[in-house]
Amino acid sequence: MSAPATDDVTGRFVPCLNPATLRGLPLPEFLALAAGAGFPTVEVSVQQAQAHGTARLCDLLQELGVKVAAASGILPAGPVLPAPLLVDPDTYRTCLDGLDDRLQAMAALGCTVATTVLNPRSPLDTTRARALARERIAQLATAAAAHGMWLAVEAVSIRTGLPAELPHPVVDNLPQLAELLDDTGTDHAGVLVDSFHWAAAGADPAHITALGPGRITHVQIADIPAGHTASVTDAERLFPGDGALPWPAFADALARAGYDGPVSVELFNPTVRSLPAGEIARLSHHAATRCWTPAKAGPR
């Protein structure tokens, strides 16, 4: 089979905005800014959605012409490490309180993807941690499936700044994550591909293409600074197209894996977040639609 041309595939991706990029905004303001910048889809926190009221939120989404592509918070919000997926059993049982209500709220919004992060390291040894991850992912995926949803699991590939009390590796790249998901025995857990973590793990297109059709359930995008991939941190995320990530190769790999869904701009960079919120939304939309080829990135 001949290689798909990048220019032919990038138009298949749907621009999406993650609320972390505009940190701290009330949900209605975030949605209005996303819609005003031209985003047809967004990610939301299900906890924020529940606090706003799902019926009111559905009306607002319809008014703005925006759809919810994915929702975070299938487990309650917390730090990426060590929460939420591999916390201790008592804490995890508490995290499951209200799970059905959260999934029901996501489904009411028309959202079909619930996202979660798989810890790269753990206080448990690798074998035990992976066994626990498989068990809990299968449990969450089964619960999501009952509401017509997919679980999208993200691997964290950054290696700098991880807590010393988490000494044992679990999963930190896409091949390891795919293998673990294969072993869960569930058909409703897929891979969340994050371009920043993909680049931090070496930016190998084969890590994406090997996933195959139907395995990628959501995509998040950010660029990576040049020159120090091994020590990069999430705070250094850049607008897509502003850094060293090989976007044509990334786009081609997604297309080869059969993905044509939302690509959500997710930034934690304090410099970016210091810009006016409307400017961040505008620049994010420009990045999500123009990053795929150097010629299209252009001035903003």
Side-chain angles (χ1 to χ4, degrees):
M1 180 181 297
S2 61
T6 300
D7 284 345
D8 293 334
V9 302
T10 54
R12 297 163 58 191
F13 305 138
V14 182
C16 183
L17 187 61
N18 185 293
T21 305
L22 280 68
R23 184 178 182 179
L25 291 183
L27 183 56
E29 185 178 351
F30 163 71
L31 294 174
L33 287 171
F39 282 98
T41 65
V42 294
E43 294 184 68
V44 300
S45 155
V46 67
Q47 285 79 10
Q48 269 196 310
Q50 288 177 303
H52 186 78
T54 53
R56 290 174 57 211
L57 185 54
C58 285
D59 290 342
L60 178 59
L61 290 166
Q62 184 173 11
E63 177 186 337
L64 294 172
V66 174
K67 295 182 179 180
V68 178
S72 62
I74 187 171
L75 298 177
V80 172
L81 297 172
L85 199 57
L86 293 182
V87 293
D88 67 86
D90 289 341
T91 302
Y92 185 72
R93 279 191 290 271
T94 300
C95 287
L96 293 179
D97 291 344
L99 174 62
D100 193 65
D101 290 340
R102 291 193 290 275
L103 290 167
Q104 191 169 21
M106 293 180 193
L109 298 175
C111 175
T112 58
V113 175
T115 66
T116 193
V117 172
L118 177 56
N119 314 77
R121 304 185 71 83
S122 171
L124 302 175
D125 67 67
T126 300
T127 299
R128 291 171 61 205
R130 288 181 177 177
L132 187 61
R134 287 193 295 268
E135 176 187 328
R136 291 178 176 177
I137 286 170
Q139 180 182 25
L140 294 176
T142 299
H147 291 268
M149 302 183 69
W150 281 78
L151 186 68
V153 185
E154 179 180 3
V156 174
S157 299
I158 57 173
R159 297 172 176 83
T160 300
L162 302 181
E165 63 270 22
L166 304 174
H168 303 294
V170 184
V171 163
D172 66 4
N173 60 52
L174 293 176
Q176 289 177 0
L177 175 60
E179 181 180 4
L180 185 140
L181 294 181
D182 284 342
D183 292 340
T184 61
T186 178
D187 294 329
H188 278 78
V191 175
L192 190 163
V193 174
D194 183 299
S195 67
F196 188 85
H197 290 300
W198 171 74
D204 185 346
H207 285 185
I208 297 174
T209 57
L211 296 173
R215 297 294 304 281
I216 302 174
T217 46
H218 191 55
V219 171
Q220 294 171 338
I221 56 174
D223 219 325
I224 193 162
H228 59 288
T229 301
S231 60
V232 75
T233 67
D234 271 323
E236 297 174 272
R237 286 176 177 247
L238 302 172
F239 284 112
D242 279 5
L245 192 140
W247 290 100
F250 183 68
D252 183 75
L254 289 176
R256 287 177 177 276
Y259 187 79
D260 60 0
V263 288
S264 184
V265 179
E266 183 188 46
L267 303 176
F268 304 101
N269 188 317
T271 301
V272 169
R273 285 172 163 177
S274 69
L275 297 172
E279 183 74 353
I280 299 172
R282 183 187 71 79
L283 293 174
S284 295
H285 185 268
H286 178 98
T289 54
R290 301 296 184 90
C291 68
W292 307 103
T293 65
K296 289 185 177 181
R300 298 180 312 212

